[in-house]
């Protein structure tokens, strides 16, 4: 009996990193158009990350950006589960400590569907 090993085929597609960066850029522009000031992108603390940190009026907003090419497997915002929310909160705590911020804060989600029916939905005070 002979065994044949198939060489994997490399398929070139937009990587998750590039898709995520593109979505974060769209979300940042969306927020700026609404009058937000973007303070940081991809803020990292330990193993945790916050996609966008913005400010509008006197509120500091921590934003999680999720995107999908379509909604066949659900809406992007559904991916922000309790575990992800906890990680964003941990990173936010570190940001607040590092910047000695004591004002009002909020956690938002921006959901982006990039398919034929492109849509951006902003969930304020999502968690």
């Amino acid at each position: 009996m002979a065994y044949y090993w198939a060489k994997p085929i490399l398929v070139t597609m937009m990587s998750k990193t590039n898709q995520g960066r593109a979505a974060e850029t769209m979300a940042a522009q969306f927020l700026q158009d609404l009058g937000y000031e973007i303070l940081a992108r991809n803020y990292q603390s330990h193993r945790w990350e916050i996609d966008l940190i913005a400010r509008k009026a006197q509120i500091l907003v921590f934003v999680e950006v999720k995107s999908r090419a379509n909604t066949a497997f659900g809406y992007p915002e559904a991916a922000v589960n309790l575990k992800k929310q906890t990680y964003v909160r941990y990173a936010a705590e570190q940001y607040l400590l590092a910047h000695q911020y004591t004002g009002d804060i909020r956690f938002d989600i921006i959901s982006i569907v990039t398919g034929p029916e492109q849509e951006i939905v902003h969930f304020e005070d999502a968690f």
Side-chain angles (χ1 to χ4, degrees):
M1 182 185 285
Y3 292 96
Y4 297 95
W5 296 96
K7 186 175 182 178
I9 299 171
L10 178 63
V11 178
T12 305
M13 295 175 57
M14 179 183 272
S15 72
K16 291 181 182 180
T17 303
N18 289 338
Q19 181 180 0
R21 285 186 185 144
E24 288 169 6
T25 299
M26 288 174 64
Q29 186 60 55
F30 175 80
L31 289 173
Q32 287 174 328
D33 291 347
L34 292 175
Y36 288 79
E37 176 188 3
I38 304 301
L39 302 177
R41 289 182 66 165
N42 300 310
Y43 174 80
Q44 293 186 345
S45 176
H46 305 287
R47 300 178 317 205
W48 309 303
E49 179 183 344
I50 299 172
D51 294 329
L52 297 171
I53 300 174
R55 179 176 47 217
K56 185 170 184 182
Q58 300 300 319
I59 300 175
L60 189 64
V61 184
F62 299 98
V63 183
E64 179 64 21
V65 179
K66 288 294 179 189
S67 68
R68 299 282 182 271
N70 58 56
T71 58
F73 297 105
Y75 289 93
E77 64 272 13
V80 186
N81 57 24
L82 185 58
K83 184 177 180 179
K84 181 62 178 175
Q85 292 174 24
T86 301
Y87 290 158
V88 171
R89 283 189 181 112
Y90 288 155
E93 287 175 10
Q94 294 303 312
Y95 182 89
L96 295 171
L97 287 171
H99 293 84
Q100 299 179 352
Y101 184 82
T102 59
D104 293 330
I105 65 167
R106 188 176 78 207
F107 295 92
D108 291 3
I109 298 172
I110 293 187
S111 170
I112 300 175
V113 178
T114 60
E117 297 177 18
Q118 185 174 356
E119 139 182 288
I120 297 177
V121 180
H122 183 192
F123 297 92
E124 292 184 358
D125 204 14
F127 57 94

